[in-house]
Amino acid sequence: MDRPADGYRAPFAEFYDQQFASNERDDVDFYVTLARERGNPVLELACGTGRVYLELLRAGIDADGIDVSEDALAVLRENAAEADADLAPSVRRADMADFAVDREYELLICPFNAFQHLLTVDEQESALECVHDALAPGGQFVFDVFVPGFDVICETYGEWIERSVEYRGEPCVFRTRTSVTDEVEQQFTVENELRDSNDALVFSESQRLTMLPKREVQLLARSSSFADWRVTGDFDDEPLADGDSTQVWTLEKGS
């Protein structure tokens, strides 16, 4: 199973946006504050339906975005139009493993585990080279990936988790299952299903991702063209430590 070429499809992109619009994560404030500190312009990789990207625009940041899913970008543009007529998203369809830009950026970001959609070392290295080329001298690439938690993997992976939700004004049941699908390559698959009140399938979507423990990301950084890198935990600017759930990586281009 290869990485999908078209990313999230409708209606999953719409459902994803609805469910995560109010998601209580610290990443939005973190990335908006970072963008203000670093200065313009900013490029977000895998900007999706705009959960982070639109907040950058609202904060007055000169931000562009790319995503492999045209359906997700359509939701982003619709959200922008509904929220504020003055918001003018500058987003386009592109693969973060193979993209080019026509200006230099002070900051590139890739929030919410999106870098884990790059399944192979070749894809990861290609993405880092594209990022390095897109940055101005001294620019930074900041992204976050989760810390693989063995207790979570052992206790919850392989089991369907269900919850009642509302979708397009109708009661539905959403279920998701995460399973390790390649132990050698340390890859896992997230399956998502939504069924209506008559148990009819509304959508079924699956995505394969790769685990990225600290040592693997560190090796990628060391073999890249970046001049310096560091990692902190849980968006609090403290060194990554046992018990943290999120790795926040900063890779810096040489001056």
Side-chain angles (χ1 to χ4, degrees):
M1 177 179 177
D2 294 326
R3 187 164 56 92
D6 54 358
Y8 290 164
R9 298 168 297 177
F12 180 65
E14 178 186 338
F15 177 80
Y16 175 92
D17 177 69
Q18 171 189 303
Q19 295 300 307
F20 283 95
S22 59
N23 184 257
E24 294 183 358
R25 283 175 52 88
D26 296 328
D27 58 346
V28 175
D29 288 343
F30 171 82
Y31 284 112
V32 170
T33 299
L34 178 66
R36 283 175 170 152
E37 292 173 350
R38 292 294 306 175
N40 294 318
V42 176
L43 175 64
E44 181 180 351
L45 309 186
C47 59
T49 60
R51 184 180 62 90
V52 175
Y53 177 80
L54 292 179
E55 294 304 318
L56 294 175
L57 294 191
R58 291 188 180 100
I61 305 298
D62 176 10
D64 298 329
I66 65 170
D67 198 280
V68 74
S69 169
E70 190 58 64
D71 289 332
L73 294 178
V75 174
L76 183 155
R77 295 185 183 101
E78 183 177 334
N79 286 343
E82 291 178 354
D84 188 340
D86 292 330
L87 289 182
S90 172
V91 296
R92 62 185 174 90
R93 185 180 185 278
D95 189 333
M96 62 179 166
D98 184 18
F99 71 94
V101 297
D102 56 8
R103 62 172 175 164
E104 292 184 331
Y105 293 90
E106 291 297 324
L107 175 69
L108 268 73
I109 64 172
C110 187
F112 204 5
N113 309 316
F115 199 79
Q116 292 180 246
H117 286 275
L118 301 169
L119 298 181
T120 68
V121 173
D122 285 345
E123 289 179 344
Q124 294 160 352
E125 289 181 333
S126 177
L128 291 180
E129 282 305 304
C130 290
V131 169
H132 189 269
D133 290 344
L135 283 169
Q140 292 182 344
F141 176 42
V142 182
F143 64 98
D144 65 90
V145 296
F146 67 75
V147 177
F150 293 110
D151 54 341
V152 175
I153 293 171
C154 292
E155 293 173 9
T156 65
Y157 277 31
E159 301 293 329
W160 283 105
I161 299 173
E162 294 188 357
R163 59 188 173 93
S164 298
V165 298
E166 185 176 291
Y167 179 64
R168 295 180 177 176
E170 300 294 331
C172 295
V173 174
F174 176 65
R175 35 183 235 152
T176 183
R177 178 171 65 181
T178 303
S179 306
V180 175
T181 43
D182 192 324
E183 292 184 353
V184 173
E185 297 297 333
Q186 291 290 283
Q187 293 177 1
F188 62 99
T189 298
V190 181
E191 302 169 84
N192 299 293
E193 289 185 357
L194 187 70
R195 293 185 176 272
D196 65 17
S197 57
N198 298 315
D199 201 35
L201 185 66
V202 179
F203 66 72
S204 176
E205 184 92 15
S206 65
Q207 298 286 327
R208 179 171 281 199
L209 300 91
T210 186
M211 304 283 185
L212 282 177
K214 176 187 173 183
R215 285 186 178 182
E216 185 169 336
V217 183
Q218 188 173 29
L219 287 171
L220 285 169
R222 283 183 176 180
S223 66
S224 74
S225 300
F226 287 90
D228 195 17
W229 59 88
R230 63 182 181 275
V231 59
T232 57
D234 290 351
F235 305 105
D236 59 10
D237 204 29
E238 295 293 329
L240 182 66
D242 192 30
D244 288 336
S245 61
T246 305
Q247 308 170 57
V248 182
W249 285 88
T250 300
L251 280 60
E252 187 164 317
K253 184 173 180 175
S255 300

